[in-house]
Amino acid sequence: MNTETIKKEENKTAKTERITGCEAIIRCLIAEGVDILYGYPGGAIMPVYDELYKYQDRIHHVLTRHEQGAAHAAQGYARISGKVGVAMATSGPGATNLITGIADAQIDSTPIVCITGQVPSHLLGTDAFQETDIVGISTPVTKWNAQVTKASEIPEVMAKAFYIAKSGRPGPVLVDITKDAQFEEFDFKYEKCTAVRSYNPIPKTDINTVKAAADLINNAEKPMIVWGQGVILGEAEEELKAVVEKSGVPAAWTILGASALPTSHPLNIGMVGMHGNYAPNKLTNECDVLIAIGMRFDDRVTGDLNTYAKQAKIIHFDIDPAEINKNVKVDIAVLGDSKESLGLLLSELNANSHESWLQEFKDLYAIEYDAVIKDDLLPEKEGLTMGEVLKEINTYSNGDAAIVSDVGQHQMIACRYAEFNKTKSNITSGGLGTMGFALPAAIGAKMAEPHREVVAIIGDGGYQMNIQELGTIFQQKVAVKIVVLNNEFLGMVRQWQQLFFDKRYASTEMTNPDFVTIAKGYHIEAKRVTKREELADAVKEMIESKSSYFLEVCVEKEDNVFPMIPSGASVSDIRLS
């Protein structure tokens, strides 16, 4: 009898126990290994919180200052740990405040389970106080959701929620539980979910597609890999590295794929996308075979689809059949788990090198260095640049820090210049582009991996969207490092206004508060840097601090992020200025 069969037999013979629905919720969380829960109490979820009070030694509840913060903190926890993050809120506005984080998790394939309270079942549909149809609202942005109206439904629904959130291509799940179901008693027995009818989370890899892909790669003269977050979600980093090194194929990454292969790897050719590196963007339209691994051909990566890699044979490795031919028509699709499919590919590949092709990437990098990178990292101008801040963080963190970035210019700079030696080190809002993501996500990341250095890189605009989470950092004593790159603008919007709207800076200039005083008000050590000669010592002090630390760096107000592919343009039209 195998281990799985033994577990099933144990579950079948497990004794039932008569408990309330709210206790069942907590017992389900414990059975799923949940150790940290982010949330905010309210009337419709209060019975669960009352029960949670009795289990403080088993589950650590983190009171965020806003439900959106709870959802993002659960995302940060999930992204760095690989586990399912959990958030909880009350009905009505509590539930709707989770939606932005849920939508962000959906498009970035982040496994979270959100639990919401709901009005008693006899009041459903009556417009009762703090009632809202959160199941209907969340349906477009969840992998699965369910409403529970009877206590007896709780174990099965919760088990299914965790299984669906984590299996296959991960995503967010929402479970809405009426207040009467929380109070109702029933005979509790918990059995983990291992399958759902008609749900096939991991398609079987067809070895013939792997062989066909290998044949194309083995015979290519100018092959290029673009990998995404699917490599990280599939824990296929070693397989990717082995494939790259054996085949000698230059490999580029999407922003969510960053850190799967160390930044310093000689075949790591940089980032693709709107503000990615010059060489991989430009040469996308010159390669003869394009191997996409765990990425979804997002518009920010492809630019104009009518001109994207038309000369190339395209191979797409992905776990989700819905992504195949969705945006880009491919020649070979290899479905399956990335760890398995890349392992199969490795055995079919010939050892190879593509030195002359790799040299083309190096030559274009030299052009980008002279035109852009040198001015970002070693500026001669008086004002500080965002790039040199990242350079100092690399110096003092040795490339081992997890970088949690918000959305905007600073995000692109962080993705371009942060050095990553470890996987799961680049945590950012990719598909949804959620300003306000970084501060609460950094809290979740640091609590999941307390021994890792976690540095949040945030713009002055996004910082103020969830600045209240400084209270969570203070109360929980989370030793996260916060860097605000302050240019007194909504920088990315301002850049577009400068380049495409004749410098009409409509509603993008910020009049900001004293960020240092605010941080100190939350008893967080804080410093402001305005001069280049102050920067290195301030970053060193921040990294060496054993507690939370806030660093504001006042940077050039009207610096732009280049290279840049104008919206809707071809990747070949990437601009250096």
Side-chain angles (χ1 to χ4, degrees), residues 281-296:
N281 275 305
K282 196 86 172 170
L283 295 179
T284 293
N285 282 356
E286 294 184 28
C287 67
D288 58 359
V289 175
L290 180 64
I291 307 113
I293 305 172
M295 54 87 78
R296 58 191 179 87

Side-chain angles (χ1 to χ4, degrees), residues 237-302:
E237 295 90 344
E238 288 304 315
E239 287 76 10
L240 172 68
K241 183 171 179 283
V243 164
V244 168
E245 291 178 348
K246 185 176 183 180
S247 66
V249 177
W253 39 273
T254 69
I255 64 170
L256 292 183
S259 80
L261 193 68
T263 309
S264 58
H265 194 284
L267 289 170
N268 184 333
I269 52 172
M271 181 172 76
V272 292
M274 180 172 279
H275 292 285
N277 292 102
Y278 189 59
N281 275 305
K282 196 86 172 170
L283 295 179
T284 293
N285 282 356
E286 294 184 28
C287 67
D288 58 359
V289 175
L290 180 64
I291 307 113
I293 305 172
M295 54 87 78
R296 58 191 179 87
F297 291 109
D298 175 71
D299 64 295
R300 283 295 196 263
V301 166
T302 64

Side-chain angles (χ1 to χ4, degrees), residues 222-226 272 280-292 295 297-298 301-316 327-331 357 565 569-573:
K222 293 185 174 184
M224 175 177 161
I225 288 171
V226 178
V272 292
N281 275 305
K282 196 86 172 170
L283 295 179
T284 293
N285 282 356
E286 294 184 28
C287 67
D288 58 359
V289 175
L290 180 64
I291 307 113
M295 54 87 78
F297 291 109
D298 175 71
V301 166
T302 64
D304 180 12
L305 286 170
N306 294 316
T307 62
Y308 183 77
K310 291 299 180 183
Q311 78 296 334
K313 295 288 186 182
I314 298 178
I315 304 166
H316 193 178
N327 295 325
V328 173
K329 190 177 187 312
V330 304
D331 297 278
W357 172 231
I565 302 168
S570 169
V571 291
S572 299
D573 297 329

Side-chain angles (χ1 to χ4, degrees), residues 13-293:
T13 58
K15 291 181 180 179
T16 59
E17 187 178 353
R18 194 156 189 84
I19 61 175
T20 62
C22 53
E23 183 174 3
I25 293 165
I26 305 304
R27 297 273 285 273
C28 292
L29 294 177
I30 291 170
E32 292 292 342
V34 175
D35 55 353
I36 298 177
L37 169 63
Y38 300 92
Y40 204 100
I45 198 70
M46 203 177 299
V48 179
Y49 270 89
D50 184 60
E51 197 62 45
L52 184 62
Y53 184 80
K54 304 171 190 175
Y55 285 87
Q56 294 178 72
D57 60 330
R58 304 288 297 276
I59 298 178
H60 177 51
H61 180 268
V62 177
L63 175 64
T64 58
R65 297 309 189 256
H66 191 283
E67 292 89 352
Q68 183 184 347
H72 290 325
Q75 285 181 273
Y77 176 96
R79 291 274 288 274
I80 201 169
S81 69
K83 301 176 184 177
V84 177
V86 184
M88 189 160 70
T90 192
S91 63
T96 59
N97 282 344
L98 292 172
I99 289 294
T100 298
I102 292 171
D104 193 286
Q106 172 77 341
I107 201 165
D108 282 355
S109 304
T110 304
I112 62 172
V113 169
C114 294
I115 301 163
T116 54
Q118 184 55 275
V119 301
S121 54
H122 72 277
L123 291 178
L124 289 172
T126 68
D127 293 331
F129 177 68
Q130 289 195 332
E131 181 197 0
T132 192
D133 180 10
I134 194 61
V135 171
I137 290 170
S138 66
T139 294
V141 292
T142 48
K143 188 177 177 184
W144 182 71
N145 66 15
Q147 186 173 77
V148 173
T149 59
K150 296 183 181 300
S152 59
E153 301 168 347
I154 289 171
E156 183 179 355
V157 170
M158 290 293 288
K160 192 174 176 181
F162 276 86
Y163 173 68
I164 291 174
K166 188 70 173 71
S167 59
R169 181 179 182 174
V173 170
L174 181 136
V175 179
D176 189 46
I177 307 172
T178 60
K179 198 167 184 178
D180 52 326
Q182 297 171 41
F183 280 122
E184 186 183 6
E185 290 189 349
F186 75 110
D187 292 329
F188 173 79
K189 183 175 71 172
Y190 193 73
E191 183 176 347
K192 284 194 176 186
C193 181
T194 57
V196 175
R197 195 176 76 174
S198 300
Y199 171 54
N200 181 26
I202 305 177
K204 183 174 174 56
T205 302
D206 182 350
I207 190 63
N208 293 318
T209 63
V210 176
K211 289 178 182 289
D215 186 58
L216 271 183
I217 297 167
N218 287 335
N219 291 289
E221 294 183 5
K222 293 185 174 184
M224 175 177 161
I225 288 171
V226 178
W227 86 83
Q229 190 186 201
V231 171
I232 295 172
L233 295 173
E235 298 181 344
E237 295 90 344
E238 288 304 315
E239 287 76 10
L240 172 68
K241 183 171 179 283
V243 164
V244 168
E245 291 178 348
K246 185 176 183 180
S247 66
V249 177
W253 39 273
T254 69
I255 64 170
L256 292 183
S259 80
L261 193 68
T263 309
S264 58
H265 194 284
L267 289 170
N268 184 333
I269 52 172
M271 181 172 76
V272 292
M274 180 172 279
H275 292 285
N277 292 102
Y278 189 59
N281 275 305
K282 196 86 172 170
L283 295 179
T284 293
N285 282 356
E286 294 184 28
C287 67
D288 58 359
V289 175
L290 180 64
I291 307 113
I293 305 172

Side-chain angles (χ1 to χ4, degrees), residues 460-521:
D460 48 308
Y463 181 57
Q464 293 178 84
M465 287 195 169
N466 273 317
I467 195 171
Q468 77 283 340
E469 298 308 329
L470 291 175
T472 307
I473 291 171
F474 168 48
Q475 183 171 350
Q476 298 292 325
K477 296 179 173 54
V478 186
V480 68
K481 310 299 169 60
I482 307 156
V483 179
V484 167
L485 302 179
N486 184 2
N487 57 12
E488 298 181 342
F489 268 107
L490 299 176
M492 187 60 82
V493 183
R494 184 213 57 75
Q495 177 169 334
W496 281 51
Q497 288 172 334
Q498 177 185 337
L499 297 176
F500 308 117
F501 293 89
D502 297 326
K503 291 190 176 182
R504 292 188 296 275
Y505 295 160
S507 302
T508 46
E509 191 163 10
M510 306 280 288
T511 301
N512 290 320
D514 185 335
F515 291 130
V516 169
T517 297
I518 291 171
K520 288 182 176 179

Side-chain angles (χ1 to χ4, degrees), residues 315-331:
I315 304 166
H316 193 178
F317 288 78
D318 211 279
I319 199 170
D320 187 354
E323 290 299 338
I324 304 300
N325 296 320
K326 185 178 83 173
N327 295 325
V328 173
K329 190 177 187 312
V330 304
D331 297 278

Side-chain angles (χ1 to χ4, degrees), residues 308-561:
Y308 183 77
K310 291 299 180 183
Q311 78 296 334
K313 295 288 186 182
I314 298 178
I315 304 166
H316 193 178
F317 288 78
D318 211 279
I319 199 170
D320 187 354
E323 290 299 338
I324 304 300
N325 296 320
K326 185 178 83 173
N327 295 325
V328 173
K329 190 177 187 312
V330 304
D331 297 278
I332 298 172
V334 182
L335 287 171
D337 173 76
S338 58
K339 191 176 186 70
E340 180 188 2
S341 57
L342 291 180
L344 293 170
L345 177 67
L346 182 65
S347 62
E348 301 290 336
L349 289 175
N350 297 334
N352 208 340
S353 65
H354 297 276
E355 290 303 322
S356 60
W357 172 231
L358 184 61
Q359 188 60 47
E360 292 189 42
F361 288 91
K362 293 176 180 178
D363 292 344
L364 290 182
Y365 176 82
I367 293 171
E368 181 185 350
Y369 184 86
D370 289 337
V372 176
I373 297 172
K374 184 171 63 176
D375 290 336
D376 281 345
L377 301 183
L378 301 167
E380 295 181 357
K381 65 184 85 173
E382 183 179 341
L384 286 161
T385 68
M386 292 179 280
E388 62 185 312
V389 179
L390 266 297
K391 178 173 172 287
E392 294 296 341
I393 290 171
N394 291 335
T395 297
Y396 292 104
S397 68
N398 297 314
D400 293 332
I403 303 296
V404 185
S405 56
D406 213 78
V407 173
Q409 287 182 315
H410 65 278
Q411 176 191 33
M412 296 296 101
I413 290 292
C415 291
R416 282 176 56 79
Y417 294 124
E419 293 178 2
F420 299 119
N421 295 330
K422 299 178 180 179
T423 188
K424 296 177 183 157
S425 291
N426 186 48
I427 300 168
T428 193
S429 172
L432 196 64
T434 306
M435 292 176 68
F437 170 87
L439 189 61
I443 293 171
K446 183 64 178 178
M447 295 187 77
E449 300 283 347
H451 301 298
R452 283 201 71 180
E453 195 69 74
V454 175
V455 182
I457 308 292
I458 317 177
D460 48 308
Y463 181 57
Q464 293 178 84
M465 287 195 169
N466 273 317
I467 195 171
Q468 77 283 340
E469 298 308 329
L470 291 175
T472 307
I473 291 171
F474 168 48
Q475 183 171 350
Q476 298 292 325
K477 296 179 173 54
V478 186
V480 68
K481 310 299 169 60
I482 307 156
V483 179
V484 167
L485 302 179
N486 184 2
N487 57 12
E488 298 181 342
F489 268 107
L490 299 176
M492 187 60 82
V493 183
R494 184 213 57 75
Q495 177 169 334
W496 281 51
Q497 288 172 334
Q498 177 185 337
L499 297 176
F500 308 117
F501 293 89
D502 297 326
K503 291 190 176 182
R504 292 188 296 275
Y505 295 160
S507 302
T508 46
E509 191 163 10
M510 306 280 288
T511 301
N512 290 320
D514 185 335
F515 291 130
V516 169
T517 297
I518 291 171
K520 288 182 176 179
Y522 285 99
H523 302 277
I524 295 171
E525 191 174 358
K527 182 170 285 189
R528 177 184 294 111
V529 169
T530 60
K531 298 176 181 177
R532 183 163 290 114
E533 55 268 25
E534 303 169 336
L535 180 63
D537 287 344
V539 171
K540 182 174 185 288
E541 181 179 308
M542 176 186 74
I543 295 296
E544 290 179 351
S545 174
K546 301 300 181 186
S547 58
S548 56
Y549 194 106
F550 173 83
L551 179 62
E552 176 187 7
V553 184
C554 300
V555 297
E556 283 277 321
K557 290 187 67 170
E558 295 186 60
D559 261 1
N560 291 329
V561 181

